[in-house]
Amino acid sequence: WNEPIIFELHNPGHRGIEVPLASEALKKEAGDVYATIPQGMRRQKAPALPCVSQARVLRHFLRITQEVIGADLNVEIGQGTCTMKYSPKINERLARSPKMSELHPLQDERSVQGILEIMYKTDLLLREICGMDRVSFQPQSGSQALMTMASLIRAKVEHDGKGEQKDEIITTLFSHPSAAASAIVKGFKVRTVGPREDGYPDFEQLKALVNERTAGFICANPEDTGLYNGEIKKFTELVHSVGGYCAYDQANANGLFGITRARDAGFDMCFFNLHKSFSTPHGCGGPGTGAVGVSKDFADFLPAPVVDFDGEKYFLNDELPHSIGKVRVYQGTPQVVLKAYAWMRALGAEGLYEVAKIASLNNNYLYKRILELRGTSVPFDSGEQRVEQARYSFQKLFDETGVSTEDVQRRMCDFGLHYWTSHHPYVVPQPFTLEPTEFTSKEDIDEYADAIAQIVEEAYTNPEIVKSAPHNSSAHRNDESPFDDPKQWAISWRSYQKKFED
Amino acid sequence: WNEPIIFELHNPGHRGIEVPLASEALKKEAGDVYATIPQGMRRQKAPALPCVSQARVLRHFLRITQEVIGADLNVEIGQGTCTMKYSPKINERLARSPKMSELHPLQDERSVQGILEIMYKTDLLLREICGMDRVSFQPQSGSQALMTMASLIRAKVEHDGKGEQKDEIITTLFSHPSAAASAIVKGFKVRTVGPREDGYPDFEQLKALVNERTAGFICANPEDTGLYNGEIKKFTELVHSVGGYCAYDQANANGLFGITRARDAGFDMCFFNLHKSFSTPHGCGGPGTGAVGVSKDFADFLPAPVVDFDGEKYFLNDELPHSIGKVRVYQGTPQVVLKAYAWMRALGAEGLYEVAKIASLNNNYLYKRILELRGTSVPFDSGEQRVEQARYSFQKLFDETGVSTEDVQRRMCDFGLHYWTSHHPYVVPQPFTLEPTEFTSKEDIDEYADAIAQIVEEAYTNPEIVKSAPHNSSAHRNDESPFDDPKQWAISWRSYQKKFED
Amino acid sequence: MDHKFSHHPYIPNSDEAIKREMCDFVGISSVEELHRDVPDELRLHRSLDMPKAIRSEYELYRTVSGMLQKNETCEENINFLGSGCYQHYVPAICDEINSRAEILSAYAGEPYEDHGRFQLLFEYQSLMAELLDMEVVNVPAIDGAQAAATAIRMAERATGRKKAVVCENILPDKLAVIRNYCTPAMEIVVLPFERESGQFDLDSLKKLLGEDVAALYFETPSFLGTVAGNAREAAELCHACGALCIIGTDPAVLGVLEAPVNLGADIVCGDVQPLGMHMNYGGGQGGFIATMDDERLVREYPSRLFGITRTEVEGEYGFGDVYYDRTSFADREHGKEYVGTQAALWGITAGVYLSLMGPQGMQELGETMLYNARYAAKKLSCVGGVSVKYLDQCFVSEFVVDFSKTGKSVGEINDQLLSRQIFGGRDLGGLFPGMEGCALFCVTEVHTKDDIDALAGALCEILGKEGK
Amino acid sequence: MDHKFSHHPYIPNSDEAIKREMCDFVGISSVEELHRDVPDELRLHRSLDMPKAIRSEYELYRTVSGMLQKNETCEENINFLGSGCYQHYVPAICDEINSRAEILSAYAGEPYEDHGRFQLLFEYQSLMAELLDMEVVNVPAIDGAQAAATAIRMAERATGRKKAVVCENILPDKLAVIRNYCTPAMEIVVLPFERESGQFDLDSLKKLLGEDVAALYFETPSFLGTVAGNAREAAELCHACGALCIIGTDPAVLGVLEAPVNLGADIVCGDVQPLGMHMNYGGGQGGFIATMDDERLVREYPSRLFGITRTEVEGEYGFGDVYYDRTSFADREHGKEYVGTQAALWGITAGVYLSLMGPQGMQELGETMLYNARYAAKKLSCVGGVSVKYLDQCFVSEFVVDFSKTGKSVGEINDQLLSRQIFGGRDLGGLFPGMEGCALFCVTEVHTKDDIDALAGALCEILGKEGK
């Protein structure tokens, strides 16, 4: 489509929808409401929103949605670390019932027993999966869950009387950027453990960093490399030995359901992204839920309220004496919890175990297919299996053909496929990160790997076609110069008008 | 996309959905059910349906839907006679409520008062619009409504004691093919009145055809030409004078709401397509509703039941002594009636009048724009305004450039636009039929007319680009040879496999 | 009016300035000059008399949904009504697809810009063909009744004969549709079913068949739920006299019951509603007609038939109309019956349903219904005074319950069930002489053991007797 | 288990034959050989203890929807709860778009293959910018509370100061979020509001402001519904001491109330939930942060900011991340706060909502709320013993009802309203000292005169007194 910006559809005679107007009878009794508005507080200039007819608004947005490729539409492997899986439509149907959507968070508990029951039972299921003692659904995302964990560690060390002394958090280089960034937000200094040559986090580096200042240790396992660190318990024990606490980023737990549990590896807390491993859809980036599970030592520190059951009815329990307060208004995003609950119920224990096995099998199958291609490699390689994802490198391809991983990325668009490189700064050179999940079929993996194979072939025979991509996507190559230039950047249509249309 | 046929996605290990199984306890009490199946009546060979995983089924159908352009997605002018209008999403939301969708047609009337009230009130609104005395919603489409009208005429002439004598129905050449075809189904002979040079049906021809054999007269007004026959009352009076009955095809009443009414022009019955003028969506061709309105003389002949109101409750009235029986099981498609009801309520009397005015204004604006283009003409032209549509001719373009109306049709696909020629046989040479409705904006009309203008320009400067179209559509040019050849045609995948894959 | 009729969200050009501009272009001074061809005597010189416009979407929503709240649904109650419209589970993906704006708002585009619509309906045809074990399936007809009526007319044209024998044991609505549709072209003769067996009798059939008969139409399962054990013999009798055998069936049972073509049917028809359509108070029906790829029959379809072909691009499929010249679109009154809007969206949905179900799903669906119906029948026949007719026969989901010995009418019993939030079976009294006091109950895969037990328990209460 | 775990519809490769083939390729003999890196001591040597899988979609639907049936909704009752989560009408098109599979299942594609996602969010930013009369709006933050907390942290970085003054008169949840988010980096000082006026006092404010203050945060309308009549003066006081003025607002009122930027705000923030999101038991929140196009502030956003550009094709727009290097995605702990999943889908939806509403819709929305709230307040204050606080001030949709002279507690009254299918206002007792016996009521455009009259009538009954 080449759909214009919505403002370009403006016609002052058009209208999208009408709003109920107060009846004359009501207006008469209410009196002159405008007179109540204090001097200077009434809107002077109507907002310059566009006037567009209803059907045209619909057409506009329908067309634009066709220019997005969600997990429902493509072979969803290329957004590694994102754990893109199938979000069953039945779960969405349930979540969109008015019995869910038309609830106000302050309703009397008697009138919301259904959703409270679902939240409570989801808490129980997640406790069983991670081995923790209590779960909060308040964080709306993984990053917010990381911030919540940093907040819990801060509150706990202060409660331990060591608030002044313990001001460092240790993380690992292949953990999510937010693990480090959210610790900073919570006033910690960040220390980073790098990987060994074989890709595992370096225990020797950890030893060098752990000391009486260590408040906590936050890591993923597997990290973005997809390697499972079998020595993880040594790590947590070392941190515990100096009075620090251990937090596990299980945003993506997809490869480990029923295999091993966070608590058993010595962690004090962990979190799951319900919008990743538990299949609730990403919605272009939220709302999701980063469900934080903690051991009983931390249960009273959680953001309040949590959902409890008194044997007869479910209720919101605000009695958390050491609560960090809140990280999100009300109770988080309950409709996301509902979808995750339905997903777990559809699978049961054996199903979750199968998820872990198949996600892993798919990844190792893909891993072998990718490494058979010319120009690919995996730095930081232990020779071991990967769990659910892997970070690859096209350094060799780049050296031999001049085709960079960003070139491959743009070319993949022409196949209607995603391809993600890596967070910055790149640790792996010319990186790309792939993650199939259990919903990916063998046919899908082959289709994806075949596309990469074709691009590799092109790189060696006709690199120009790769470098000049995309050729066949919904958009052509951007002029990227404005994005980092304050004089040119335009973060709204009105800025664009001002900067470019004069 | 180039999405395969669903059978090509078959993998015997995959599964799309699971069905509830009878519990062991129930099975035990039920006993061996297979033993109850008579000899030879149990399915021997499982149906060769494909096995596809749920996400892949979804992806398949989502992708295919993206290859259809409904009225929600394009400038919907090119399907003349189809009255493609905006179907408000709120109406769809209401119709998809379980309070509508989960009703069984045999439920006790006390449990369906809501839908019965809606049907009754819609009947009242339609009576007011057409001036008739009673409406049936049983027919699911316009063609079935035409057949219903033919059935009513047959029943009435038989009731009049003239069943043997009156065996002819007269229609007009620019009326819908089903007007003639359904009369044949009901055992009538069909006589056709052609147009005069100025496009109006020829009264002289009618005079020549009307006689004691005339059972009925069925026509549209405007016909596909978009011309309103102002002498229509002379036509109906003539038919009445020999004891015939007059039926009005108001499938498309879009240009006449609040302007003039069927009964006032002397018709005994008429029908509206709720999926056209009343905005309920077409759904790729049904289900719709062809609501048949009749004068009181025909009320007892309608298919039973109709909805009635006794002052306290709504009920299904089966007491129609001369009823033709049924044309559709149960009460037709009530969810369509609901959508039409909501649409009328959103507009009211003045809104319906505005619909007629704007549909007409839009059409006359388009008419002028099209006729300004080289190569276009309108045969059968009275020089008068068109109401809601018009049938144009590209004969001149064809003579001058060799580009046919079918070539233009294929080329219009490249613009993401529909373009319909005409029913067959073509009366207008190199025809095309355009119909904007009230939901079409001026900008839309200009976009459409500009696309035609560009193609006309191409026809005169570079005809090959038009003739070889489509270039940019979801599919390329078909090999059309199999469609009329019994040895090659393949109306199912299994036939295709048999005929082509050996 | 509070509002002038301008700026309506559904009518973009309902703005004075825009109207002005367009009128100028057209050469009129106001929109009132339009419709000048409508003579004064025919004009309505007043406003239509109807309630004021509800301009805001919220008020419209609240008004209409307020009316709908008066309905009681089959989700809120336990429903045992079937009789041609069945409560099956509708997979979420069926609604996901049929509510997609692209297809919901589409109509009749051409094979190129509406490639997807052709593919959707071609796939529907192909999937139904597998379920039915046949080769040609039409783009859906109005409903199963229309499909039966058209099948009979197809037989009329194919054989040149003007009489059809129709078994009594079908949905009465369907017989009414067939009668109207075949009148006056054909004579419809009804073959009664035997009250004691629920089946038609082959000897009676033989008496009605002859050289003047175009077709026999019967159903399996029948309206009463019984399986036509003599279907093969009936088909042979038809063929012996040159008549076609038309069998109506319920596609939901074909995972466990033999496809009618393998019983000898020449044309098979029925309703796709069970395959993914909500009941919609009867609005979910759509008809299918199927044959083998026999030119003699294919040329008699009035419906559109979408065929597959290849395109100029290697490996790409294209689609188009097969033998378009048959249709009334191509040849008006010389076409076969007529064609137009029917029930395409339901065909597409049935295609989605069958793609999800696969062979195993259809088999399990049938099996669950077999078990549930048998269990329900046994359970109800244990309620004092109640018996189930034809209990020794096979039925998949529907069966006849005889209350005639309970001292209460079906109407009374259903009233009392209704107050217990149960929709009881359809009263057969009045539909067929000799079936007074009987009701047709339907169970499908949506019924749990608890649901059936609740019915049995309620009947015990109502009839004042303990279950045995 | 009845079913082996194979052929699950969500796990296509859960089939023995497929697993076999893939294991062979990978070089293992079974899937049990995967995870060999997980040491034995860490392995869970048992199955997870949880209920059996519900394999059929129907049973899953029935189970979960059965649980949901225990909820009573704001559609089935008349709801007067607001307090940061508002019941507005959600246009059908908002749901139509946000349920589209394409965007619902999308995440983080690149500007080329996910061009549409960038455009959707750029348009959201642009539409919000018009509503707020500002130039830069972020891709949505978690909720309005997070937006406020981040705005304060932005001020911290922009000013290099470590103290923020926050008015007491905000949602208590929001204050708790701000406190946690700013601890320990900043000191949060609460500026109390005056009980008699519901407003904060400028003199008190002056005492708290100083060279060490990064920002003042207050809201208009406030938590109690009052409009901050001294907003301009407060902003001037901030600017005089080099602090930033951050104003929180409700976007639904901006058709009638002045945009905070024009009162002097440097940063404006709030929640998009009122703009087309269902309440979802609190799950519909999403935060916005807005500034002018001032590089000093733009570089402090932690959020993604989508910008527009041109492409190599004349007349085509492209989109991308503005100043990506700010973010934690680009620079881990050196980035501004952090970024990740937030509430993008609600941003997209708010964009659809504003596109539908246009300027007139937003103006009418505000006006209807003004009338409804004023009418409700007058009506309730006529109920004996009941008074409305701050009745002489302006409020758009929320207002405080004082029941302290009725002899009944807010809890008792709400209990009795609940039994009449009315959700009464939020109890302010316990939230703010001095507000015992008071409750916060909310009316919006969804309330009809009948709804409000029903509330007043119910209160008369409950309190045993006639309305005047």
Side-chain angles (χ1 to χ4, degrees), chain B residues 34 110 255 330 353 479 498, chain C residues 32 35 83 135 309 367 415:
Chain B
Y34 285 110
R110 284 167 287 179
Y330 304 118
Y353 183 78
D479 170 7
K498 200 149 81 178
Chain C
E32 301 307 322
H35 298 103
S83 197
E135 293 168 337
T309 185
E367 180 172 306
D415 269 358

Side-chain angles (χ1 to χ4, degrees), chain A residues 4 6 8 15-17 20 29-30 34 36 40-41 43-44 47 49 60 64-65 67-72 79 88 96 98-99 101-104 107 110-112 114-115 117 128 140-141 143 147 151 172 175 177-178 181 185-186 230 255 259-260 281-286 326 328-330 335 345-347 349-351 353-354 357 362 368 384-385 409 413 418 424 440 442 473-479 483-484 489-494 496 498-499, chain D residues 1 5 8 13 19 21 25 32-33 35 37 39 42 44 46 48-49 53-54 67 70-74 76 82-83 85 98 100-102 104-106 108 110 112-117 119 123 125-126 130-131 133-135 142-143 153 173 180 183-184 228 232 254 256 258 278-283 293 307-312 316-320 323 328-330 332 337-339 341-342 344-345 356 359 363-364 367-368 374 378 394 415 423:
Chain A
I6 185 81
E8 298 177 285
R15 183 116 202 230
I17 195 169
E29 292 198 48
Y34 285 110
T36 67
M41 297 299 281
R43 181 116 189 181
Q44 293 304 305
L49 298 168
H60 176 73
I64 300 181
T65 60
E67 297 180 337
V68 184
I69 46 171
D72 284 349
Q79 299 190 74
R96 284 176 184 261
K99 287 288 190 183
S101 64
E102 298 300 329
L103 301 179
H104 191 283
Q107 277 179 227
R110 284 166 287 179
S111 68
V112 288
I115 183 61
E117 179 181 356
E128 171 65 9
Q140 188 161 315
S141 71
S143 296
M147 189 276 289
S151 301
T172 63
S175 289
S178 291
V185 166
K186 285 302 294 181
I259 311 286
T260 179
H282 280 275
C284 288
K326 306 223 44 140
R328 164 71 162 76
V329 297
Y330 303 118
Q335 77 277 24
R345 293 301 308 273
L347 287 161
E350 299 205 8
Y353 182 79
E354 189 77 9
K357 287 296 175 188
N362 286 350
K368 188 157 178 205
E384 264 304 342
Q385 289 172 352
Q409 179 174 60
C413 299
H418 295 297
H424 297 256
T440 318
K442 178 175 173 299
S473 188
S474 42
H476 299 85
R477 273 185 92 149
N478 286 338
D479 170 8
F483 294 145
D484 290 319
W489 70 37
I491 306 170
S492 60
W493 181 247
R494 55 160 53 183
Y496 180 78
K498 200 149 81 176
K499 294 183 179 178
Chain D
M1 311 277 283
F5 236 92
H8 194 284
N13 292 341
K19 283 194 241 187
E21 185 186 349
F25 182 82
E32 301 307 322
E33 284 183 40
H35 299 100
D37 290 356
L42 295 186
L44 182 71
R46 60 170 175 85
L48 291 167
D49 178 22
I54 303 176
M67 294 165 85
K70 297 175 198 163
N71 297 332
E72 286 288 323
T73 73
C74 295
E76 296 157 341
S83 196
C85 179
N98 72 28
R100 291 274 294 174
E102 287 88 341
L104 184 64
S105 68
E110 304 297 321
Y112 302 109
E113 85 274 17
D114 264 1
H115 178 78
R117 186 170 62 89
Q119 182 166 352
E123 292 191 355
Q125 295 171 182
S126 301
E130 297 302 336
L131 185 65
D133 207 9
M134 298 180 95
E135 293 169 336
I142 297 284
D143 62 3
R153 298 298 295 263
D173 274 16
N180 181 63
T183 302
R232 277 194 174 77
L254 295 183
V256 291
E258 186 55 274
H278 297 277
M279 294 174 290
N280 278 304
Y281 199 52
D293 189 6
I308 190 169
T309 187
R310 289 160 179 183
T311 76
E312 60 191 1
E316 189 183 78
Y317 300 117
F319 306 94
Y323 199 5
S328 61
F329 278 167
R332 296 182 66 85
E337 304 170 40
Y338 52 83
V339 66
T341 287
Q342 315 248 342
L345 193 64
L356 281 170
Q363 198 269 323
E364 289 177 3
E367 180 172 307
T368 298
R374 181 61 50 181
K378 284 189 173 176
C394 176
D415 269 359
F423 298 160

Side-chain angles (χ1 to χ4, degrees), chain C residues 54-68:
Chain C
I54 303 177
R55 301 265 315 204
S56 82
E57 186 174 301
Y58 170 65
E59 288 165 290
L60 182 67
Y61 170 73
R62 196 157 158 169
T63 302
V64 180
S65 66
M67 294 165 84
L68 289 176

Side-chain angles (χ1 to χ4, degrees), chain B residues 150-167 188 214-216 243-245 298 301:
Chain B
S151 300
L152 290 168
I153 291 172
R154 168 156 297 281
K156 187 68 161 70
V157 295
E158 282 176 3
H159 182 258
D160 293 343
K162 297 184 184 158
E164 295 298 307
Q165 174 197 339
K166 291 198 165 294
D167 64 353
F188 291 107
T214 304
Y245 298 103
F298 280 86
F301 290 82

Side-chain angles (χ1 to χ4, degrees), chain B residues 199-427:
Chain B
Y200 295 102
D202 189 339
F203 186 69
E204 297 308 314
Q205 287 187 37
L206 180 71
K207 275 207 283 201
L209 293 174
V210 164
N211 57 40
E212 75 287 350
R213 306 193 68 85
T214 304
F217 171 62
I218 300 183
C219 73
N221 185 26
E223 303 173 294
D224 290 0
T225 55
L227 288 169
Y228 185 85
N229 173 11
E231 299 192 322
I232 186 66
K233 198 154 186 180
K234 266 173 62 185
F235 286 58
T236 60
E237 282 168 356
L238 177 62
V239 172
H240 284 153
S241 72
V242 299
Y245 298 103
C246 297
Y248 190 170
D249 174 349
Q250 290 211 285
N252 179 355
N254 214 35
L256 298 176
F257 288 131
I259 311 286
T260 179
R261 312 199 302 173
R263 186 80 186 113
D264 302 335
F267 286 95
D268 301 288
M269 62 189 75
C270 67
F271 79 93
F272 298 114
N273 276 355
L274 301 188
H275 48 290
K276 291 185 174 171
S277 312
F278 295 85
S279 103
T280 79
H282 280 275
C284 289
T289 291
V292 174
V294 297
S295 70
K296 62 180 181 319
D297 291 347
F298 280 86
D300 283 349
F301 290 82
L302 282 175
V306 291
V307 181
D308 254 322
F309 183 55
D310 68 10
E312 284 190 0
K313 63 174 200 339
Y314 300 92
F315 65 100
L316 293 170
N317 181 356
D318 261 307
E319 304 295 314
L320 305 176
H322 307 302
S323 173
I324 59 169
K326 305 222 46 140
V327 298
R328 163 72 163 73
V329 296
Y330 304 118
Q331 290 81 246
T333 46
Q335 77 277 24
V336 172
V337 178
L338 182 157
K339 290 183 238 186
Y341 178 74
W343 184 78
M344 282 189 274
R345 292 302 307 272
L347 288 161
E350 298 205 8
L352 289 175
Y353 183 78
E354 189 76 8
V355 165
K357 287 296 176 188
I358 299 295
S360 218
L361 176 64
N362 287 350
N363 187 49
N364 284 285
Y365 178 88
L366 174 67
Y367 188 78
K368 188 155 177 205
R369 281 228 46 194
I370 294 294
L371 288 190
E372 285 177 351
L373 301 178
R374 198 170 160 191
T376 61
S377 65
V378 174
F380 301 105
D381 184 22
S382 66
E384 264 303 343
Q385 288 172 351
R386 305 285 153 156
V387 182
E388 84 301 349
Q389 64 179 317
R391 181 156 294 158
Y392 305 87
S393 173
F394 261 139
Q395 183 65 41
K396 197 149 152 282
L397 184 84
F398 181 67
D399 292 342
E400 294 174 0
T401 70
V403 168
S404 70
T405 190
E406 287 85 2
D407 294 331
V408 176
Q409 178 173 61
R410 286 195 318 279
R411 179 63 177 145
M412 281 294 274
C413 299
D414 291 334
F415 294 80
L417 295 168
H418 294 295
Y419 170 102
W420 185 62
T421 56
S422 160
H423 290 118
H424 296 256
Y426 289 165
V427 179

Side-chain angles (χ1 to χ4, degrees), chain B residues 21 32 40 47 82 112 143 181 197 331 344 347 362 392 413 445 474:
Chain B
L21 301 181
D32 180 2
C82 294
V112 287
S143 295
E197 270 306 295
Q331 290 81 246
M344 282 189 274
L347 288 161
N362 287 350
Y392 305 87
C413 299
I445 300 173
S474 43

Side-chain angles (χ1 to χ4, degrees), chain A residues 337-353:
Chain A
V337 178
L338 183 156
K339 290 183 239 186
Y341 177 73
W343 184 77
M344 282 189 275
R345 293 301 308 273
L347 287 161
E350 299 205 8
L352 288 175
Y353 182 79

